[in-house]
Amino acid sequence: MLDVFVIGAGVTGCAVAMELSKFNLSVTVADRESDVCEGTSKANSAIVHSGYDAKPGSLKAKTNVEGNRLIKELSKKLDFPYINNGHLTVCRSDQDREILTQLLERGRENGVEGLEIIERDRLLEMEPNISDDIECALYAPTGGIVCPFNMTIAFAENAYQNGVEFKLNTEVLKIEKAEGGYTVTVKDRISGSVTEIKTKSIVNAAGVYADVFNNMVSEHKLTITRRKGEYMLLDRSAGSFVSHTIFQLPSKMGKGVLTTPTVHGNILMGPTATDIADKENIRTTSEGLRTVLERTNLSVKNVPTRAVITSFAGLRAHEEGGDFVIGEAEDAKGFFNAAGIESPGLTAAPSIAKMICGFVTEYLGATEKNNYISERKGVIDPWLLSDDERDELIKEHPEYGTIICRCEKVTEGQILDAIRRPLGARTLDGIKRRTRAGMGRCQAGFCSPKTMAILSRETGIPMEKISKHGIGSEFVVGENKNI
């Protein structure tokens, strides 16, 4: 019998797995997708929020401020990109300046350091492309940006190297209470086989499906609303357009459309906020993308729209209570929820994980390991090395001298590392998230065939089975001639 069964391999589930891996426990993480970070964790604003927006005393406020601090520390130990760029929440001349004052006071009550309201003259020095009718802004110097893919993958790899098992392409069909814990019925989406897993406890970190699993075992029902957000991404050529993350005044639907640099030098604009019924609908729409552009122009001007290289959408798991749902279900002992994890969920994930881990280890009476591995190295980026270091790397490993993705200058060595490392990539999106191969201006138009060939060669997966993101997204449909 397992000690802990974690449902969901997004940022929250992987962070929980990492914390649990510090203890003498048998832990399995299951996800229906082909890789970690396939849901909301791959399609968000990549923001490390400072914590001024959440209601004081709420779980969002507590975990946001602590998560902000933890991410800075974890980015060094686990080697994922993070930049402390600072955030600006702007106020137009036709808006109520008092809202900024309220946010300032709320942030200070939440323990956010360094908050101040700045006037237009100083704001223009910080961000020359600010819109003409912006009057002032709340400046949050502790705000940052992160790579959500690399952060989630880093948590997962660290958990894996400390003994956590990951069952990908594994769909949870049913959860039943049983003697000593729970029986979880799962389906292998590749083979189609159905098996039962016995576990003493469950962590429900299933994103937009968290209500489904909670409601299987508890009479205290949860209701998750799927809130779709659409984004537009600009090429690196627009990377100097803004240097801070620029928010608009928040509303009941969220923090509005933002404009922000990414840790990789792009510019990101979005999201919209549309409540939908379909838990899988991540299609972009002309209306949604038009809204992104229109609302972006309310806070910044001269948007270089010709630099747009792609658009995408993600789903936020909004629980009707308005706050995170963290802890043991009252009538389901050993069943722990991490539900309703919407913004600032990415920031809060390390703090949420510590809370959940505390509940689980107390419930199971778990003891800490004395051999926990606390550090992890990411995929080597040869372009971050000195010339001498890069030359030496290529001498030892010539594959680092072969460029596969021309837009992002990703080498064969990086792709091989992404495939061969713990929880290695098995899809093109998996390689993309670990290396950025395919994230450039041509959006994988040039490098896909070469990347597919490397993936097939290294894993033995036939070319016709190589997929973008798992079952149903295969590229090759047949041969146009026999060689």
Side-chain angles (χ1 to χ4, degrees), residues 330-383:
E330 291 180 23
D331 56 347
K333 295 300 179 185
F335 186 95
F336 300 92
N337 278 309
I341 311 300
E342 58 182 340
S343 180
L346 184 71
T347 310
S351 178
I352 293 170
K354 284 187 174 294
M355 288 182 67
I356 292 290
C357 182
F359 297 143
V360 173
T361 53
E362 181 180 1
Y363 176 76
L364 296 175
T367 58
E368 288 191 56
K369 290 178 179 175
N370 56 17
N371 60 345
Y372 172 71
I373 302 167
S374 62
E375 297 187 353
R376 164 264 188 194
K377 293 298 294 181
V379 173
I380 295 174
D381 185 346
W383 305 106

Side-chain angles (χ1 to χ4, degrees), residues 295-314:
R295 293 183 181 174
T296 298
N297 283 315
L298 296 175
S299 52
V300 291
K301 61 183 180 181
N302 304 318
V303 178
T305 53
R306 289 178 64 86
V308 173
I309 56 174
T310 192
S311 59
F312 63 92

Side-chain angles (χ1 to χ4, degrees), residues 28-46:
T28 292
V29 180
D31 197 288
R32 69 191 299 271
E33 302 299 339
S34 61
D35 197 4
V36 303
C37 196
E38 277 284 4
T40 300
S41 302
K42 80 174 190 300
N44 56 72
S45 305

Side-chain angles (χ1 to χ4, degrees), residues 404-405 415 428-429 431-432 437-438 442-455 463 466 468 475:
I404 300 299
C405 172
I415 292 172
L428 258 64
D429 276 359
I431 291 173
K432 178 172 71 174
C442 85
Q443 288 292 289
F446 174 80
C447 62
S448 287
K450 291 187 176 183
T451 305
M452 290 171 66
I454 295 170
L455 185 56
M463 284 289 280
I466 298 291
K468 184 180 188 321
F475 289 91

